C-alpha cells in the first residue's frame, strides 16, 4: 500500500479511473467537434474552449494519478 490505497481496493480504484478517463474522452471529443464545426457563437465558443481546457487539465491530473498508482499488478 505505498500509494495509501488498501491493496484490496486498488482494482476498484483502477476501474473508477478508467471510467473517469472514458467520460473525459467523450467530453473532449464532443467539445472538439462542436468547436471545429464553426457554427458556435463567439461567447459560446469561449465557454466551450474553457470547458475543453478544463477537461484536458483533468485528464493530465488523471495521468498523474496513474503514475502514482504504478503498473497494474500481475494476477
Amino acid at each position: 500500500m505505498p500509494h495509501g490505497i488498501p491493496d484490496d481496493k486498488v482494482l476498484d480504484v483502477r476501474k473508477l479511473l478508467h471510467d473517469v478517463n472514458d467520460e473525459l474522452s467523450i467530453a473532449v471529443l464532443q467539445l472538439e467537434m462542436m468547436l471545429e464545426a464553426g457554427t458556435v457563437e463567439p461567447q459560446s465558443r469561449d465557454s466551450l474552449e474553457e470547458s475543453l481546457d478544463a477537461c484536458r487539465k483533468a485528464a493530465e491530473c488523471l495521468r498523474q494519478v496513474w503514475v502514482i498508482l504504478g503498473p497494474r499488478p500481475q494476477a
Side-chain angles (χ1 to χ4, degrees):
M1 185 171 69
H3 37 63
I5 301 170
D7 292 339
D8 64 332
K9 296 293 181 191
V10 171
L11 291 179
D12 292 336
V13 170
R14 287 182 176 279
K15 183 187 179 323
L16 288 171
L17 289 172
H18 276 291
D19 292 347
V20 169
N21 189 62
D22 289 346
E23 295 300 323
L24 276 172
S25 296
I26 291 167
V28 166
L29 180 62
Q30 289 178 339
L31 288 166
E32 287 175 339
M33 287 173 49
M34 291 172 72
L35 288 166
E36 288 174 4
T39 57
V40 179
E41 295 178 16
Q43 66 255 33
S44 296
R45 174 172 285 283
D46 290 343
S47 179
L48 291 173
E49 286 173 348
E50 287 179 23
S51 297
L52 181 58
D53 187 48
C55 287
R56 288 180 173 152
K57 287 177 183 175
E60 179 55 35
C61 291
L62 188 58
R63 281 188 280 280
Q64 292 175 25
V65 172
W66 283 114
V67 169
I68 292 167
L69 283 179
R72 183 180 176 133
Q74 298 299 318

